Amino acid sequence: MNLSLTVFQAAFGFYSRLMPAKAASKAVELMTSPRIKTERRNSSRTLFERVVPLSNDGLLSIYGVGPKKILLLHGWSGWIGQFKDLISEIDPQEYTIYAVHPAGHGESPATESHPGRFIEAVLEAHQYAGSSFDVGVGHSLGAAALVYAQSTRNCFERLVLVSGPATIEGVLSRFARFVNLGERSKRLFVNDMEKTVGLSVDRLDLVALAPSIETPVLLIHDDRDTEVPVAESRALQAAFPRSRLTHTTGYGHSRLLQKPEVIKEIVEFSNSPFRP
């Protein structure tokens, strides 16, 4: 482990036990501040033709003129360029491609964001498109936002969930462990995040939401994902009425988005009859 990270975790752990409320507030600040390189933020410029502003500092990039519609949503501190290999395999005469940049991502002027901003951006993109998307593809937190949006408004005919979490509570717990929060500080951190997002962790339990979603779902997860364990997708696969899970090995949390076999699986799922 990186020495500076080890020192930070030790120091933050001590701080959280000495001043749990202040440490919890600092953890919220860290959790809601995306960190993305400038070139990654600008990556959608060469991939899309136009940009539409959304509320709460979100953006919607659009490319293609096809009658079918596909929506792409990256994860926390992600960028739309992560989907460039998939985009290159989508016929813009067949599909219109929409890419969501929640607050704090892409060229959004906001410096803060959270899961609620991801959900708001998806729902607003659906409203802008005027009807359900034929396919929604989400990575990590983006996958979670698509599931929540589908459970509330039926935005998609099909869903592709890549490296997605089963619960937002699990996401917060993993972050709390990463920064070494003490137990009291962790409880305060979760409570503060619920207030920030405007939704309780219970309402963001995707396993509980999944049984109500009848649309076909493709889950893709790497067995060696160290950020979101593959067990999360297994739990979701068991909960969705119509789903299948594809495993990869050795690609980790994000690199699988650039792998030809993963791109092929997504394209085939999008254009072929569903098979469990």
Side-chain angles (χ1 to χ4, degrees):
M1 183 180 291
N2 182 283
L3 179 59
S4 60
L5 176 60
T6 301
V7 171
F8 166 79
Q9 290 172 324
F12 204 83
F14 177 76
Y15 176 52
S16 75
R17 288 155 179 83
L18 185 66
M19 306 184 75
K22 289 188 176 181
S25 295
K26 183 63 179 178
V28 170
E29 179 185 334
L30 293 172
M31 184 76 184
T32 57
S33 301
R35 293 163 181 78
I36 313 162
K37 294 179 180 178
T38 300
E39 61 269 23
R40 291 176 173 178
R41 287 185 176 276
N42 299 337
S43 65
S44 64
R45 291 181 180 179
T46 59
L47 296 173
F48 291 85
E49 297 170 330
R50 58 194 188 277
V51 180
V52 175
L54 303 175
S55 61
N56 290 319
D57 293 317
L59 299 168
L60 181 66
S61 292
I62 305 170
Y63 169 64
V65 294
K68 296 182 181 179
K69 300 190 292 291
I70 184 169
L71 181 133
L72 310 175
L73 179 56
H74 56 69
W76 182 257
S77 288
W79 62 101
I80 204 60
Q82 291 175 288
F83 290 104
K84 63 182 177 62
D85 294 319
L86 174 60
I87 292 169
S88 70
E89 295 298 320
I90 299 173
D91 183 353
Q93 299 300 315
E94 182 181 5
Y95 281 94
T96 300
I97 306 167
Y98 298 81
V100 173
H101 311 269
H105 295 76
E107 296 184 82
S108 165
T111 58
E112 297 181 358
S113 192
H114 54 70
R117 295 289 178 254
F118 276 62
I119 293 167
E120 291 166 357
V122 173
L123 294 175
E124 192 169 348
H126 174 253
Q127 182 177 0
Y128 179 86
S131 62
S132 295
F133 295 96
D134 293 86
V135 187
V137 183
H139 176 248
S140 196
L141 180 60
L146 296 192
V147 174
Y148 185 87
Q150 183 70 353
S151 73
T152 59
R153 198 184 289 178
N154 198 29
C155 299
F156 308 97
E157 299 299 323
R158 294 186 178 213
L159 283 172
V160 180
L161 310 177
V162 184
S163 309
T167 67
I168 295 302
E169 185 174 19
V171 173
L172 298 180
S173 293
R174 284 188 289 274
F175 183 80
R177 285 197 300 272
F178 175 74
V179 297
N180 195 24
L181 287 179
E183 282 303 312
R184 185 182 174 197
S185 192
K186 176 185 173 182
R187 289 193 297 272
L188 293 170
F189 164 66
V190 172
N191 289 339
D192 288 350
M193 280 298 301
E194 288 180 321
K195 293 175 183 176
T196 298
V197 174
L199 292 168
S200 69
V201 292
D202 290 342
R203 290 186 63 190
L204 293 170
D205 183 336
L206 310 178
V207 173
L209 297 175
S212 67
I213 296 174
E214 297 286 345
T215 51
V217 179
L218 171 64
L219 299 114
I220 305 175
H221 215 122
D222 195 82
D223 292 334
R224 298 179 185 174
D225 189 333
T226 57
E227 294 185 40
V228 179
V230 68
E232 305 270 306
S233 279
R234 292 195 186 108
L236 285 169
Q237 196 275 329
F240 282 116
R242 303 174 66 200
S243 66
R244 74 171 187 263
L245 173 60
T246 295
H247 292 270
T248 62
T249 301
Y251 299 152
H253 186 64
S254 299
R255 285 187 297 122
L256 71 174
L257 288 172
Q258 286 80 53
K259 299 303 175 180
E261 64 268 35
V262 173
I263 302 302
K264 181 181 178 182
E265 180 88 1
I266 294 173
V267 172
E268 289 182 351
F269 172 79
S270 301
N271 296 308
S272 305
F274 173 68
R275 55 176 179 81

